[in-house]
Amino acid sequence: MEKHVDNLISKDELLKILEDRFNQNISRHPNIKWVEIVPLLENNPERINSLSYLEASNGEPDVAVINGQLVYVDFSEESPKGRRSLCYDKDARVNRKKFPPTSSICEVCDQWQVELLTEDDYHALQEIQAVDLKTSSWLFTPDNIRQLGGAIFGDRRYDTTFIYHNGADSYYASRGFRAKLILK
């Protein structure tokens, strides 16, 4: 699957959307000013492309400090609609015996030049804003779990963040992924 998103947003339109979201959600980044973010984006076409994919797939990316890194991260209330029904990685997709999905989350993250959230990132995101109250999101899976055929995902229920496991080749209409783009 090529990029998993068809309609990318122009740079000017994207910057306007990101600035509006930034200003409407100051609590996500209380000690950061928009004028600090603009230079990190304006002359960086790779970052603009990555953010265009996150936005076009309904991720609602916004600035936050996650585990000491200044990042754009997906703040959509539920797992982004444009990134669901994907298994964990290419190996899981290729080796699935019946009905393989069109792509995998790891392949899409590589194409978009973004990083999948780790378990620690996901917990930090949930501290900033409760997400995945009805859906779930795949998370970066440690090698020891992945080598045994598994992958991990998280969600939030009962005002608590849960981390679970599933076969890496599974995929669901209610499970997508959240990503981050590291700014510094």
Side-chain angles (χ1 to χ4, degrees):
M1 164 173 281
E2 186 60 30
K3 304 288 186 194
H4 204 72
V5 170
D6 297 324
N7 301 321
L8 289 186
I9 300 162
S10 73
K11 176 183 172 183
D12 291 339
E13 183 182 356
L14 176 66
L15 288 174
K16 178 68 173 132
I17 290 168
L18 294 175
E19 181 179 12
D20 289 347
R21 184 174 296 130
F22 182 94
N23 290 327
Q24 292 168 5
N25 297 284
I26 296 298
S27 64
R28 296 175 180 165
H29 36 258
N31 300 317
I32 302 167
K33 305 260 185 274
W34 179 247
V35 296
E36 299 170 54
I37 301 303
V38 174
L40 300 173
L41 301 177
E42 276 197 320
N43 296 316
N44 193 316
E46 293 84 11
R47 285 183 176 164
I48 293 294
N49 276 346
S50 296
L51 288 168
S52 292
Y53 287 119
L54 296 180
E55 184 66 34
S57 61
N58 305 110
E60 300 176 26
D62 198 5
V63 174
V65 175
I66 302 281
N67 294 320
Q69 296 178 310
L70 180 63
V71 299
Y72 263 97
V73 65
D74 294 308
F75 275 99
S76 57
E77 186 175 310
E78 301 300 340
S79 195
K81 289 181 183 178
R83 305 186 213 158
R84 297 183 190 171
S85 298
L86 301 170
C87 64
Y88 184 75
D89 60 15
K90 184 177 181 178
D91 286 342
R93 179 179 57 80
V94 169
N95 292 317
R96 187 175 169 97
K97 293 184 181 14
K98 289 185 176 181
F99 310 111
T102 56
S103 191
S104 71
I105 61 163
C106 290
E107 289 172 287
V108 173
C109 283
D110 285 346
Q111 291 170 347
W112 294 357
Q113 298 179 6
V114 295
E115 294 183 24
L116 192 58
L117 295 187
T118 66
E119 185 175 346
D120 288 342
D121 294 338
Y122 192 72
H123 281 287
L125 173 63
Q126 293 283 8
E127 290 295 318
I128 298 169
Q129 176 179 310
V131 296
D132 288 333
L133 302 177
K134 298 176 186 170
T135 58
S136 61
S137 293
W138 285 112
L139 301 173
F140 177 81
T141 299
D143 288 341
N144 63 320
I145 295 171
R146 186 60 199 97
Q147 289 171 358
L148 296 172
I152 62 173
F153 65 94
D155 65 22
R156 186 173 182 97
R157 306 291 192 273
Y158 310 107
D159 202 26
T160 303
T161 301
F162 291 95
I163 306 298
Y164 304 94
H165 59 88
N166 215 173
D169 66 343
S170 63
Y171 62 97
Y172 302 95
S174 63
R175 182 175 306 147
F177 70 93
R178 294 176 183 276
K180 67 181 178 183
L181 175 66
I182 299 171
L183 299 176
K184 60 180 183 171

